[in-house]
Amino acid sequence: MQRYFIPASSWQGDVLEVHGDDAHHMIKVLRYQIGDHVICNQLTGEAAICEITEIEQQTVRLQVIQWLNENNELPVEITIAQGLPKGDKLDLVLQKGTELGASAFIPLMTDRAVVKWDKRKADKKIQRFKKIVKEASEQSHRNRIPEILDTISLKELIKLGQSYDVKFFPYEEEAKVEKFQSFSTIVKELRSGQRVLTCIGPEGGFTTDEAELLKKNGFQPVRLGPRILRTETAPLYVLASISYQFEELGCR
């Protein structure tokens, strides 16, 4: 069944009304009829199988017929702070990162980032990013939509990082030395319920000064295997590895 995230204002107990893009998708794209079933999620995570009871030109009314007891979220909360990449690479990170279980995304301004956003451009992009993660959450049957935070600097990220249990950043220099900090060590030490922050550099990576600043503030540099990964590949590697550890190996 198709899944939709419906805001709290649309729910009245076990009855809800759907408007806007979601109603258009139900009526015009999937051509649902009265009696068809969909899954509707509240933004707090609860989900229910709902039956369509009325269809108007721009409104769909539904009735809950069964609340679902499900949890498709990762046991740890992972925030991806992504150095601003070129082109549509961030769209890919948001879409696939959502499918892999990220809890939040932070667009990050760094020294080597080619892309520069002013406030007007950033605000417009954030709205588009929110749509991407909503649709990816529906497609992958998430219980929650990842949060998209405003674009911040590295110093602002360090301050924000004080509220996280585990902080690390993939650093290509770790892949070039014999004695390196393995990402697997961090993954094996993670525990359910922890908040994790990973900081991903842009195409050119972090400068030496940025790496030293991160280290001094509790971010552990790690190696993601012996190969140098693209900026859009690194966060997906991180998420897939943690998902495998917790959800397939059944650890903690």
Side-chain angles (χ1 to χ4, degrees), residues 3 40 42 90 101 109 113 115 117 137 139 146-147 156 161 228:
R3 182 174 298 242
C40 293
Q42 296 182 342
L90 188 51
M109 295 179 289
V115 176
W117 295 350
S137 297
Q139 181 275 321
E147 184 180 4
E156 291 171 322
I228 305 301

Side-chain angles (χ1 to χ4, degrees), residues 78-86 89-90 92-94 97 100 102 104-115 151-154 157-158 166-172 183 186 196-207 210-211 214 219-225 227-242:
I78 307 175
T79 296
I80 304 294
Q82 177 70 50
L84 297 180
K86 295 183 292 186
K89 293 178 182 178
L90 188 51
L92 175 69
V93 171
L94 294 171
L100 288 167
F105 298 93
I106 306 174
L108 180 65
M109 295 179 289
T110 58
D111 289 345
R112 288 178 175 165
V114 176
V115 176
T151 306
I152 62 175
S153 68
L154 195 62
L157 179 73
I158 286 170
V166 180
K167 300 175 288 186
F168 63 90
F169 67 104
Y171 189 40
E172 63 183 42
F183 175 54
I186 290 178
V196 179
L197 175 59
T198 181
C199 185
I200 310 294
E203 282 90 352
F206 292 113
T207 65
E210 287 175 326
L214 288 167
F219 286 77
Q220 301 179 69
V222 298
R223 185 185 94 154
L224 302 182
R227 294 165 295 280
I228 305 301
L229 303 180
R230 288 179 179 269
T231 184
E232 69 271 27
T233 307
L236 308 185
Y237 181 108
V238 168
L239 288 163
S241 299
I242 294 175

Side-chain angles (χ1 to χ4, degrees), residues 11-52:
W11 295 77
Q12 297 293 330
D14 285 352
V15 178
L16 60 153
E17 284 190 359
V18 179
H19 308 277
D21 291 342
D22 289 331
H24 174 82
H25 191 261
M26 290 180 183
I27 298 168
K28 300 297 184 180
V29 179
L30 296 184
R31 299 187 181 279
Y32 280 134
Q33 302 295 320
I34 292 174
D36 286 339
H37 292 172
V38 299
I39 296 175
C40 293
N41 267 67
Q42 296 182 342
L43 299 184
T44 52
E46 294 81 4
I49 298 174
C50 299
E51 182 176 296
I52 296 174

